[in-house]
Amino acid sequence: MTTETSAPVASDADTAAAALVAPGDSNDHGPTTGISNTKLAMWLFLGSECLLFGGLISTYLLYKTRRGPDNLAIPTDVFDIPFTSISSFVLLMSSLTMVLALAALTRGDNHGARVWLLATSMLGGVFIGGQVYEFTSFLREGVGFTNNPASSAFYALTGFHGVHVSLGIVMLMSLFVASWQGKLRQEHSETVEIVGLYWHFVDVVWIFIFTVIYLVPA
Amino acid sequence: MNTTTSEHEAPDAEEATVPKEATVPEDGAREHSEHEHPSDWDYVKIALILAVITAVEVFTYFESVYDWGSLLIPSLLIMMVVKFWLVATWFMHLKFDNPIFSKMFVGGLLLAVGVYVAALAAFEFWA
């Protein structure tokens, strides 16, 4: 009996109610794993990203001393470790502000979450600004993208990482705007957590790059 | 099913029905409630440890102040792994989340390390 009465085409009210329960998300699928599908997908994606950055880092390690036939400058000749250290520190601290944003939203502090999201994206912006400055100064000192295999591998690696950080900033700003408009509430904490996972991942990749590429002597 | 039936039978009951369903937490909220999250101060303490390690890393660059000798590279790699582990376990919540996430991430990480160590060996990187 109940099957027949519930069969009619869903009304607009039904659709709206469904959207209220799971706003803009597919989490109501009831995963048989008992864990969120979107979070699982993000972790799977991050696992695959390890392979992408592993390839780029390995390529740089293979080519880092190759000056090419014209014996041109390579990135290790012009590294500015104190400057890069500050950039690294800024990115590291952005992970703190990110996790504080999630903690604030989880306990229902929307204003706090908004402030920390903005702080995270600003710290990310400072990191990107530092990278642009670094690339510009390297170019001035004669380390061009096509100079030699070492330069190409360096720019490809750090450039890819920079693109990841930039995409992270776009996501963070989107969350900030959504929060500003009142669309980001406590029940959306998983969305912030997923963006946070991505952000922390670009941070741990930089932890690796900073040590292996910048600090370990050639 | 009964809920759906009651919605169609009595439209006025919709409002009463929807909040009842809305109280069921989403997956994320459910997972959050399954475990205790660290406090903000815990996160700040982790960040302070990360900052100190980074400062020591940078300190190794200034050989004129202290020469680490043959300990330099192992020290740098250990500090890198500790930082990586702290961010992954605390900030990415792997320490508190379902172990399947750790397996997913560590699986990709180990696969990457294995593949690229093999690739570097093939190119005689350590020769």
Side-chain angles (χ1 to χ4, degrees):
Chain A
M1 158 221 155
T2 52
T3 310
E4 284 178 9
T5 48
S6 61
V9 177
S11 65
D12 290 344
D14 292 335
T15 313
L20 180 67
V21 174
D25 205 346
S26 58
N27 288 331
D28 57 336
H29 287 171
T32 54
T33 53
I35 52 178
S36 157
N37 284 336
T38 43
K39 206 162 150 184
L40 194 64
M42 176 51 86
W43 275 111
L44 193 62
F45 169 70
L46 296 182
S48 70
E49 285 273 278
C50 291
L51 285 158
L52 169 72
F53 280 103
L56 291 166
I57 291 168
S58 303
T59 306
Y60 177 76
L61 290 176
L62 279 174
Y63 291 142
K64 67 178 179 182
T65 55
R66 302 237 183 136
R67 293 175 181 273
D70 299 326
N71 200 28
L72 296 172
I74 57 175
T76 49
D77 295 338
V78 292
F79 275 166
D80 184 353
I81 299 296
F83 179 80
T84 313
S85 301
I86 293 168
S87 293
S88 303
F89 181 76
V90 166
L91 194 62
L92 203 56
M93 289 305 107
S94 75
S95 265
L96 171 64
T97 54
M98 182 71 237
V99 83
L100 290 176
L102 175 61
L105 191 66
T106 305
R107 64 174 175 261
D109 178 6
N110 292 352
H111 176 74
R114 195 155 53 237
V115 168
W116 290 123
L117 283 172
L118 184 63
T120 309
S121 49
M122 286 178 76
L123 289 170
V126 169
F127 176 83
I128 289 296
Q131 196 166 42
V132 169
Y133 171 80
E134 183 187 47
F135 283 7
T136 310
S137 62
F138 281 12
L139 281 170
R140 281 205 198 102
E141 296 189 51
V143 181
F145 182 71
T146 56
N147 269 15
N148 43 44
S151 303
S152 301
F154 173 80
Y155 283 117
L157 168 60
T158 52
F160 256 102
H161 181 267
V163 168
H164 276 74
V165 176
S166 302
L167 285 175
I169 293 170
V170 171
M171 287 191 273
L172 288 167
M173 287 310 295
S174 303
L175 289 177
F176 174 77
V177 171
S179 175
W180 190 265
Q181 294 173 338
K183 294 175 184 170
L184 189 70
R185 296 180 300 275
Q186 190 174 10
E187 62 265 31
H188 303 104
S189 63
E190 191 189 50
T191 307
V192 176
E193 185 176 7
I194 286 169
V195 171
L197 287 177
Y198 176 86
W199 188 259
H200 298 308
F201 177 76
V202 296
D203 185 25
V204 293
V205 168
W206 188 257
I207 286 172
F208 198 88
I209 290 174
F210 180 59
T211 301
V212 174
I213 308 302
Y214 286 87
L215 293 178
V216 170
Chain B
M1 279 184 15
N2 287 334
T3 305
T4 315
T5 307
S6 65
E7 281 173 17
H8 286 279
E9 285 173 350
D12 290 341
E14 263 185 33
E15 286 183 15
T17 311
V18 171
K20 186 183 175 187
E21 290 185 12
T23 58
V24 177
E26 290 178 54
D27 292 333
R30 186 163 55 237
E31 282 171 29
H32 278 292
S33 64
E34 281 173 0
H35 48 75
E36 281 296 312
H37 271 260
S39 67
D40 286 3
W41 175 237
D42 289 329
Y43 291 131
V44 172
K45 281 191 279 190
I46 295 296
L48 286 173
I49 295 170
L50 289 168
V52 169
I53 297 173
T54 305
V56 176
E57 282 181 330
V58 177
F59 179 70
T60 65
Y61 172 71
F62 299 99
E63 291 176 2
S64 58
V65 180
Y66 182 77
D67 186 8
W68 290 65
S70 59
L71 288 177
L72 176 62
I73 293 178
S75 306
L76 283 172
L77 294 179
I78 289 169
M79 286 188 280
M80 178 190 77
V81 169
V82 171
K83 283 170 71 181
F84 190 103
W85 180 80
L86 283 173
V87 173
T89 53
W90 285 84
F91 289 173
M92 297 173 94
H93 294 152
L94 281 181
K95 187 180 168 76
F96 313 99
D97 253 335
N98 192 307
I100 198 170
F101 298 132
S102 300
K103 289 174 187 163
M104 198 78 68
F105 186 53
V106 173
L109 195 62
L110 290 180
L111 183 64
V113 170
V115 165
Y116 294 115
V117 164
L120 289 171
F123 283 97
E124 299 178 345
F125 177 70
W126 289 281

